[in-house]
Amino acid sequence: MKAIIKGGKIPKGTVNVSGAKNSATRLLAAACISDGEVVLHNFPTQLVDAQHKIRFLKNIGAEIVVDDESETLKIKSGSISAVELDR
């Protein structure tokens, strides 16, 4: 990609880029093997796949606090329990 800027002014400003969507659900899984609280910053909280995994983890006992505004997750997985499924 190439950008041509005319006008003699230096571009400046900030851009908020959300975290990598392809690693989001993997980071959630990795956070579950920690004994302590895990905080994930710049996390794509609106990603549908991540929302499904967050709901699943809450259903098996994880404590997860989602802050959409700051794109932060706090995860405590110490109370996760195995679930036996009917076959």
Side-chain angles (χ1 to χ4, degrees):
M1 176 180 267
K2 183 176 166 182
I4 299 174
I5 300 170
K6 296 181 181 183
K9 294 183 180 182
I10 298 173
K12 61 181 178 178
T14 59
V15 175
N16 186 16
V17 179
S18 185
K21 69 175 187 153
N22 293 331
S23 64
T25 58
R26 292 180 181 112
L27 289 170
L28 285 170
C32 290
I33 62 173
S34 171
D35 290 335
E37 181 179 76
V38 174
V39 180
L40 299 174
H41 298 280
N42 198 30
F43 189 89
T45 58
Q46 297 300 313
L47 183 66
V48 173
D49 292 350
Q51 291 175 350
H52 289 305
K53 187 166 272 188
I54 289 167
R55 186 170 47 254
F56 169 78
L57 292 172
K58 285 181 175 180
N59 285 336
I60 62 171
E63 297 174 38
I64 302 177
V65 177
V66 179
D67 185 339
D68 290 323
E69 188 173 321
S70 67
E71 294 187 320
T72 302
L73 289 183
K74 292 182 182 180
I75 305 164
K76 290 182 185 176
S77 59
S79 57
I80 288 179
S81 61
V83 177
E84 187 174 326
L85 301 174
D86 294 333
R87 293 183 184 239

CSV table of all heavy atoms in Angstrom, one decimal, residues 11 21 33 36-37 57-59 72:
chain,number,residue,atom,x,y,z
A,11,PRO,N,1.4,14.2,9.0
A,11,PRO,CA,0.2,13.6,9.6
A,11,PRO,C,0.5,13.2,11.1
A,11,PRO,O,1.6,12.8,11.4
A,11,PRO,CB,0.0,12.3,8.7
A,11,PRO,CG,1.2,12.2,7.9
A,11,PRO,CD,2.0,13.5,8.0
A,21,LYS,N,-7.5,-11.1,16.1
A,21,LYS,CA,-8.7,-12.0,16.3
A,21,LYS,C,-8.3,-13.5,16.2
A,21,LYS,O,-8.9,-14.3,16.8
A,21,LYS,CB,-9.8,-11.7,15.2
A,21,LYS,CG,-9.4,-12.0,13.8
A,21,LYS,CD,-10.6,-11.8,12.9
A,21,LYS,CE,-10.2,-12.3,11.5
A,21,LYS,NZ,-11.4,-12.7,10.8
A,33,ILE,N,-5.2,-22.2,32.2
A,33,ILE,CA,-4.2,-23.1,32.9
A,33,ILE,C,-3.4,-22.3,34.0
A,33,ILE,O,-2.6,-22.9,34.6
A,33,ILE,CB,-3.3,-23.8,31.9
A,33,ILE,CG1,-2.4,-22.8,31.2
A,33,ILE,CG2,-4.1,-24.7,31.0
A,33,ILE,CD1,-1.4,-23.5,30.3
A,36,GLY,N,-3.6,-18.1,38.9
A,36,GLY,CA,-4.0,-16.7,39.3
A,36,GLY,C,-4.9,-16.0,38.3
A,36,GLY,O,-5.3,-16.6,37.3
A,37,GLU,N,-5.1,-14.8,38.6
A,37,GLU,CA,-5.9,-14.0,37.7
A,37,GLU,C,-5.1,-13.6,36.4
A,37,GLU,O,-3.9,-13.2,36.6
A,37,GLU,CB,-6.4,-12.7,38.3
A,37,GLU,CG,-7.3,-11.8,37.5
A,37,GLU,CD,-7.8,-10.6,38.2
A,37,GLU,OE1,-7.0,-9.6,38.3
A,37,GLU,OE2,-8.9,-10.5,38.5
A,57,LEU,N,-16.7,-20.8,29.0
A,57,LEU,CA,-15.8,-20.8,30.2
A,57,LEU,C,-16.6,-20.4,31.4
A,57,LEU,O,-16.4,-21.0,32.5
A,57,LEU,CB,-14.6,-19.9,30.0
A,57,LEU,CG,-13.6,-20.4,28.9
A,57,LEU,CD1,-12.6,-19.4,28.6
A,57,LEU,CD2,-13.0,-21.7,29.3
A,58,LYS,N,-17.5,-19.4,31.3
A,58,LYS,CA,-18.3,-19.0,32.4
A,58,LYS,C,-19.2,-20.2,32.9
A,58,LYS,O,-19.4,-20.4,34.1
A,58,LYS,CB,-19.2,-17.8,32.1
A,58,LYS,CG,-18.4,-16.5,32.1
A,58,LYS,CD,-19.3,-15.3,31.8
A,58,LYS,CE,-18.6,-14.0,31.9
A,58,LYS,NZ,-19.5,-12.9,31.6
A,59,ASN,N,-19.8,-21.0,31.9
A,59,ASN,CA,-20.6,-22.1,32.2
A,59,ASN,C,-19.9,-23.2,33.0
A,59,ASN,O,-20.6,-23.9,33.7
A,59,ASN,CB,-21.3,-22.6,30.9
A,59,ASN,CG,-22.4,-21.7,30.4
A,59,ASN,OD1,-23.0,-21.0,31.1
A,59,ASN,ND2,-22.7,-21.8,29.1
A,72,THR,N,-10.6,-5.1,27.7
A,72,THR,CA,-9.9,-5.8,28.7
A,72,THR,C,-10.7,-7.0,29.2
A,72,THR,O,-11.9,-6.8,29.4
A,72,THR,CB,-9.4,-4.9,29.8
A,72,THR,OG1,-8.7,-3.8,29.3
A,72,THR,CG2,-8.6,-5.6,30.8
